[in-house]
Amino acid sequence: MYRSIKSETWQKLFVITFKTIKDQYGETEKPVFSEEVKKMEGKQITVPGYIFPTEDMFAGSKKILFSALPVNNCFFCGTGGPESVMTINLKKSLVYTERKISLRGTLELNDENPDELIYILNDAVKVD
């Protein structure tokens, strides 16, 4: 499924494994990032993808969900895994579009907070 994604950045982010740990939540799947992805943390990356429509998005929020896959195939609605979506913290809010766009920002990896997505892009801006 991910082979149709032509983004070199997403292809690197897709290489991930998970290990089961026991914590205060019971059993949790914790991401294990590849060495290549660990080297990307804290660096500027550009990712193409699709805005996931949420109520907050339409209220002008600067925090959105973003998917490598179109909404009908994304992690929340279809067949994509957790490595195919990320939280985007925008510098300024965006107007929603169903079209593919590209965003650039600083990558943060999350392997501690199970209530947050595993990839976070901070200070993100839309690029043409």
Side-chain angles (χ1 to χ4, degrees):
M1 171 184 51
Y2 294 148
R3 290 185 181 144
S4 64
I5 307 295
K6 304 296 182 203
S7 165
E8 198 174 299
T9 302
W10 276 117
Q11 289 300 327
K12 291 175 184 175
L13 296 174
F14 293 155
V15 179
I16 190 167
T17 58
F18 294 87
K19 67 178 179 178
T20 302
I21 61 165
K22 291 185 181 186
D23 59 15
Q24 69 268 24
Y25 305 104
E27 287 190 351
T28 304
E29 293 290 311
K30 184 173 181 171
V32 178
F33 302 107
S34 71
E35 288 304 314
E36 188 170 23
V37 168
K38 287 179 185 176
K39 290 177 185 175
M40 294 167 57
E41 185 170 28
K43 296 196 167 101
Q44 289 273 311
I45 64 167
T46 300
V47 288
Y50 302 88
I51 298 170
F52 186 83
T54 64
E55 193 172 304
D56 290 342
M57 168 76 215
F58 295 106
S61 176
K62 290 184 182 178
K63 182 176 184 174
I64 63 171
L65 302 178
F66 198 65
S67 174
L69 302 165
V71 172
N72 62 336
N73 288 324
C74 87
F75 175 63
F76 301 105
C77 299
T79 56
E83 68 280 358
S84 68
V85 293
M86 62 176 58
T87 299
I88 306 290
N89 294 313
L90 296 161
K91 280 192 174 185
K92 62 179 187 174
S93 60
L94 291 174
V95 174
Y96 174 75
T97 180
E98 291 180 359
R99 293 178 178 229
K100 186 181 219 178
I101 63 170
S102 291
L103 299 173
R104 181 176 41 241
T106 305
L107 180 64
E108 177 183 340
L109 305 178
N110 172 39
D111 63 356
E112 296 297 323
N113 183 354
D115 295 327
E116 181 63 71
L117 295 176
I118 61 175
Y119 297 124
I120 302 164
L121 197 64
N122 292 309
D123 296 322
V125 296
K126 182 180 175 195
V127 292
D128 296 319

